[in-house]
Amino acid sequence: MMFLDLQRLLTCARVQLLSVRFAKRRGVKALRLAKEAKLGKKPMRKAPAADKNQRRVSSTSTKLSVALRHPARFEPNPELLAEPFDDVWYEPSYLPVAYSVAEAVRLHRQLQHPTMLNNPSAFVRLRLDLNMQLERKVLHVSPDSLLSNKVHLQNKYVPETTGLIAMPYPFAHGNKRTILAFAKDPNLQILASDAGAEITGGVELVKKILKGTVRIDDVDYSVCHLDMGTEVNPLRGLMKKKFPSRKMGAIGTDIVALVKHFISGIAFELKQDVLNPAWGVSECVIGKLDMPVEHLEANLKTYVERVFGLRDPPKRTFIDRAVMTVIPGAEYYVIDLGPFLPELPEEEEESDTSAQT
């Protein structure tokens, strides 16, 4: 009983002590505010919550930016020097050195040697920094705007794209893909199954998918023979992006080639940056580090030509920079793409030179 009374007394004493402390703080704060008012100073105020939220949003958007991820996009500075004269130089003061594919592969092989990082068969990835800006479209023209030489223009950008590339020198990419193949002929269904398709069928398969008997959640890609071109149309809304389309190259007469293409093809994507829509990034694995350099160069050329074909024809500077990395790894080397860019037709070259002048 005495212990409980003592505990209550201690609790009351603590409460009184805290109240005295808070009262003292309020008194000190009141004296400070009165002194500042007498001297003509404005009271200090905390930053509003909106500024904190804005900073939080900006930091989040920076993390989501594909162009600022490592290796971050490089914007050339006119004050940077072109080439160093000595063997040792301060790297931030000079423009990045552009290596050939053979030299970049040699440097990566040295770093991934068994005596170093011990990953001699690492995947080689190429990153392309792109200029997504297209020719601006005239949005609205009024008589007043013509008199004042003011025309409203709308910015246009290269659309985001994903696809598969058939490399001239294929390699094991290590991704397990589930392929669904549509074909009327039972013999073609057997051939598609032997080629690697997990699910094969004809009109009955379409009905089962519509009823929900066959689920397509685990299907990565679907291909279709020409004899099923109209029968699969009811699945367009259900399958959405997994629906076989000509744009993806998923419809044809050779069902075996279609299945093998989607199993062994190398995936690439072209993304637009969230901070600056004019920036874009495309990445693709072009081979393994232990492959011959000639094979890596051929795969690189195939990938560059595929991405270069997505550009706006009058725009020559579509690919701003190419960077070679390995997976996993943080080291990167800028690649000289001059020998791998496709030649432009004479008409485009003339239009490009006239636009520059």
Side-chain angles (χ1 to χ4, degrees), residues 182 206 209-210 231-240 243:
F182 294 102
V206 175
I209 295 175
L210 291 174
E231 284 79 358
V232 296
N233 285 333
L235 299 175
R236 186 182 299 273
L238 181 63
M239 299 185 69
K240 297 180 180 179
F243 184 80

Side-chain angles (χ1 to χ4, degrees), residues 10-228:
L10 291 175
T11 304
C12 294
R14 289 175 183 173
V15 172
Q16 291 178 359
L17 181 61
L18 289 175
S19 61
V20 170
R21 287 181 179 177
F22 285 122
K24 185 178 180 181
R25 289 181 182 177
R26 288 194 295 270
V28 172
K29 183 177 180 181
L31 291 175
R32 180 174 58 81
L33 293 176
K35 186 176 181 180
E36 290 178 353
K38 186 177 180 180
L39 296 175
K41 294 182 179 180
K42 294 183 178 180
M44 298 292 292
R45 294 183 179 180
K46 294 183 179 180
D51 294 342
K52 295 181 180 179
N53 295 333
Q54 187 175 4
R55 287 196 297 269
R56 189 180 298 112
V57 170
S58 62
S59 62
T60 305
S61 59
T62 303
K63 293 179 181 178
L64 296 176
S65 173
V66 293
L68 298 181
R69 293 177 186 172
H70 182 81
R73 183 183 180 91
F74 174 78
E75 293 296 327
N77 187 351
E79 297 181 358
L80 296 179
L81 301 176
E83 295 181 0
F85 298 98
D86 300 325
D87 295 336
V88 180
W89 66 91
Y90 184 57
E91 187 176 2
S93 299
Y94 293 86
L95 292 171
V97 179
Y99 296 90
S100 64
V101 175
E103 184 66 15
V105 170
R106 185 185 68 83
L107 294 173
H108 276 304
R109 285 175 177 173
Q110 288 181 355
L111 192 60
Q112 303 297 329
H113 193 269
T115 58
M116 296 288 288
L117 298 181
N118 193 19
N119 193 11
S121 299
F123 286 106
V124 180
R125 179 171 57 190
L126 192 72
R127 164 180 164 145
L128 301 177
D129 292 334
L130 308 174
N131 180 7
M132 306 283 281
Q133 184 77 45
L134 296 176
E135 289 187 350
R136 292 196 291 179
K137 179 182 178 182
V138 178
L139 187 62
H140 175 69
V141 179
S142 61
D144 297 335
S145 62
L146 292 176
L147 293 176
S148 60
N149 293 328
K150 293 182 179 179
V151 180
H152 299 281
L153 299 176
Q154 181 183 17
N155 292 327
K156 294 180 62 180
Y157 305 99
V158 177
E160 294 186 337
T161 307
T162 58
L164 295 175
I165 301 177
M167 294 295 185
Y169 295 96
F171 55 93
H173 50 70
N175 296 326
K176 178 68 172 65
R177 297 171 182 168
T178 303
I179 309 298
L180 186 150
F182 294 102
K184 281 185 179 180
D185 190 351
N187 295 325
L188 293 178
Q189 297 175 14
I190 295 174
L191 292 176
S193 180
D194 294 339
E198 298 285 342
I199 305 173
T200 60
V203 179
E204 293 298 326
L205 178 60
V206 175
K207 295 179 180 179
K208 291 180 180 179
I209 295 175
L210 291 174
K211 292 180 180 179
T213 308
V214 177
R215 299 185 61 85
I216 58 173
D217 298 338
D218 298 332
V219 174
D220 296 313
Y221 299 99
S222 62
V223 297
C224 178
H225 194 270
L226 276 179
D227 59 4
M228 285 283 294

